[in-house]
Amino acid sequence: MGGPGGVGKTTVAAALGTQLALEGHRTIVLTVDPAKRLAQALGFKTFSSDLQNVPLPHTQESKLFASMLDTQRYFDKVITRFAGSEKQKDKILNNRLYRIMVESLGGSHEYAAMERLLEFAKDSSFEKIVVDTPPSQNALDLLDAPQKLANFMDNSVLRWFQKTKTPFSLFRHGTKIAIKLLEKLFGNDFFKALAEVMDDLEGMHTGFRDRNLEVIQLLKSQATGFFLVTYPSEVRFTESLDFIKALKEKEIPLSGVILNRIEKEFPKEIPPSIELPKQEREEIEKVLTYRSELVAQQQYWISQFDSNLNKIPQIKLEKRSGPIHDLETLSQIGKKLVF
Ligand SMILES: Nc1ncnc2c1ncn2[C@@H]1O[C@H](COP(=O)(O)OP(=O)(O)O)[C@@H](O)[C@H]1O
Ligand SMILES: [Mg+2]
């Protein structure tokens, strides 16, 4: 499930998962940032990333499972897996800088989501895994995350820092102010901590790389389907075409494009038979005009999607009146997604 923030990825992922489970598949929804009430509907009492069974109404043995992505915890797990020894693991996990790096590393949420997918995919007791994607600025972040991480590990500037180890040689290069600033931000032992974390991450390259390859293989495989959640507007249309192109270049199959929040047709004016004070009539007419312009705009962009997507299946979901956080509504939406 991919697409820009706010278009409905989390909702659509939850809807698809709920419906798949209701139809008898043992399903995991890996959700990233559900709104509070949706999280409650999925049974998350506290924010926990542990896999849990979600009770479904009128169902004795629910086949729906949910998990919440916790990037920091997940990176800790990855480090634990790749670290050469218990000592090395503890050293990294206790390094303050490592925490900051995970937080600030672009694409770390995406990477964690892909990692978790890989882990679930290896568990054969589950038939379907629906992965929500993190709220990135750009939908392409998801596809670039593994490469970005690999680049980060190879980053020559960091390697140079690592080699330098002490700030003294840098002082000679006239970067005193920058260093002072960094040390102000991160504490006096910034360089020591940086050198340490780079030393410790060294040797984990192969581990990261192999996992990246596995993730990419899984994304490309027949078992995976990618849905793009988007909205009928000019910005989203252009962005969607770029995204579809990028998927194609990476040979990742696209299962469908979901156009979400489509406005229902609405009367354009108040029938003359309805009597209203002039001012009220004018105010309501303003709203109706706005609505009908929005509908017309959406219809135009829907037709653009129609004529440009060729054979890619499209699913159109209407805008509902309120936020979506009950399993009944999720299942109704889900029915449109399972085909
Ligand atoms: N078709 C829809 N009709 C009405 N509200 C919707 C629809 N799809 C999503 N929403 C609402 O929009 C908000 C953002 O949705 P969400 O799924 O969290 O988006 P994303 O994960 O892409 O950021 C939520 O409050 C959700 O209930
Ligand atoms: Mg979301």
Side-chain angles (χ1 to χ4, degrees):
M1 211 66 68
V7 288
K9 298 182 297 291
T10 302
T11 309
V12 167
L16 179 60
T18 304
Q19 189 54 25
L20 287 170
L22 284 170
E23 291 185 8
H25 304 281
R26 254 174 86 82
T27 304
I28 301 177
V29 175
L30 171 58
T31 175
V32 176
D33 60 343
K36 203 167 162 220
R37 304 249 339 241
L38 178 62
Q40 281 167 354
L42 291 176
F44 291 107
K45 286 180 195 72
T46 50
F47 276 0
S48 128
S49 68
D50 293 320
L51 191 63
Q52 58 182 35
N53 195 215
V54 183
L56 286 174
H58 322 297
T59 315
Q60 273 212 324
E61 207 181 302
S62 162
K63 295 197 167 179
L64 182 61
F65 293 78
S67 168
M68 185 116 54
L69 188 72
D70 178 340
T71 300
Q72 185 74 59
R73 221 186 94 173
Y74 207 71
F75 263 79
D76 293 357
K77 266 173 91 175
V78 173
I79 296 290
T80 306
R81 175 153 21 103
F82 293 149
S85 67
E86 191 72 12
K87 208 172 138 214
Q88 189 192 21
K89 182 199 85 182
D90 288 344
K91 231 174 115 197
I92 300 178
L93 297 185
N94 293 327
N95 190 311
R96 212 163 18 91
L97 206 67
Y98 157 73
R99 304 259 154 231
I100 298 166
M101 270 161 65
V102 170
E103 276 304 308
S104 56
L105 177 66
S108 59
H109 298 294
E110 284 81 357
Y111 182 79
M114 291 297 104
E115 266 287 330
R116 198 98 166 103
L117 166 65
L118 199 59
E119 195 178 278
F120 288 143
K122 287 184 175 180
D123 182 342
S124 57
S125 69
F126 291 100
E127 295 163 74
K128 306 274 182 192
I129 304 157
V130 183
V131 186
D132 177 22
T133 60
S136 34
Q137 288 255 297
N138 183 341
L140 291 170
D141 283 355
L142 178 74
L143 304 175
D144 293 338
Q147 191 55 47
K148 250 196 205 154
L149 201 84
N151 292 348
F152 174 79
M153 302 292 282
D154 282 340
N155 190 305
S156 56
V157 176
L158 287 169
R159 301 223 151 269
W160 179 70
F161 266 120
Q162 187 190 7
K163 262 197 246 137
T164 313
K165 293 217 171 165
T166 77
F168 301 116
S169 60
L170 290 171
F171 277 91
R172 284 199 301 268
H173 290 91
T175 45
K176 202 170 168 179
I177 294 167
I179 290 163
K180 279 275 165 258
L181 194 69
L182 287 171
E183 291 197 330
K184 241 201 178 102
L185 286 171
F186 298 113
N188 286 334
D189 53 353
F190 171 73
F191 285 96
K192 194 168 161 269
L194 180 63
E196 272 178 16
V197 89
M198 289 313 294
D199 257 359
D200 290 330
L201 288 174
E202 175 93 9
M204 290 196 190
H205 283 229
T206 349
F208 272 106
R209 265 183 205 294
D210 290 351
R211 291 293 279 190
N212 286 344
L213 286 176
E214 269 191 87
V215 167
I216 291 165
Q217 245 172 23
L218 179 66
L219 291 182
K220 284 183 183 179
S221 85
Q222 289 291 319
T224 306
F226 208 95
F227 283 97
L228 173 64
V229 185
T230 185
Y231 176 86
S233 72
E234 181 171 6
V235 177
R236 297 293 173 234
F237 172 73
T238 318
E239 181 187 72
S240 297
L241 290 193
D242 285 348
F243 185 69
I244 292 167
K245 206 171 121 205
L247 277 180
K248 212 171 186 168
E249 279 164 9
K250 290 179 199 293
E251 297 169 352
I252 298 171
L254 178 64
S255 298
V257 171
I258 296 162
L259 282 180
N260 192 21
R261 294 169 167 270
I262 298 178
E263 301 280 343
K264 286 191 256 319
E265 285 283 359
F266 219 66
K268 287 196 175 63
E269 50 196 33
I270 309 167
S273 57
I274 296 177
E275 279 190 32
L276 276 174
K278 188 167 174 278
Q279 201 187 346
E280 239 172 80
R281 176 175 284 274
E282 279 173 6
E283 303 241 313
I284 296 174
E285 271 174 352
K286 259 191 228 159
V287 177
L288 292 182
T289 308
Y290 167 76
R291 284 286 307 248
S292 66
E293 277 168 8
L294 180 62
V295 170
Q297 263 176 30
Q298 283 202 345
Q299 289 307 322
Y300 173 75
W301 290 108
I302 290 171
S303 71
Q304 290 297 306
F305 273 100
D306 284 342
S307 52
N308 281 275
L309 292 189
N310 300 320
K311 291 189 196 111
I312 303 165
Q314 268 193 80
I315 300 139
K316 295 176 174 111
L317 299 177
E318 66 182 27
K319 179 166 194 270
R320 301 195 170 235
S321 49
I324 298 157
H325 41 55
D326 60 295
L327 293 164
E328 181 57 40
T329 315
L330 288 175
S331 156
Q332 278 172 21
I333 298 174
K335 283 193 181 110
K336 300 195 172 148
L337 302 166
V338 181
F339 51 88

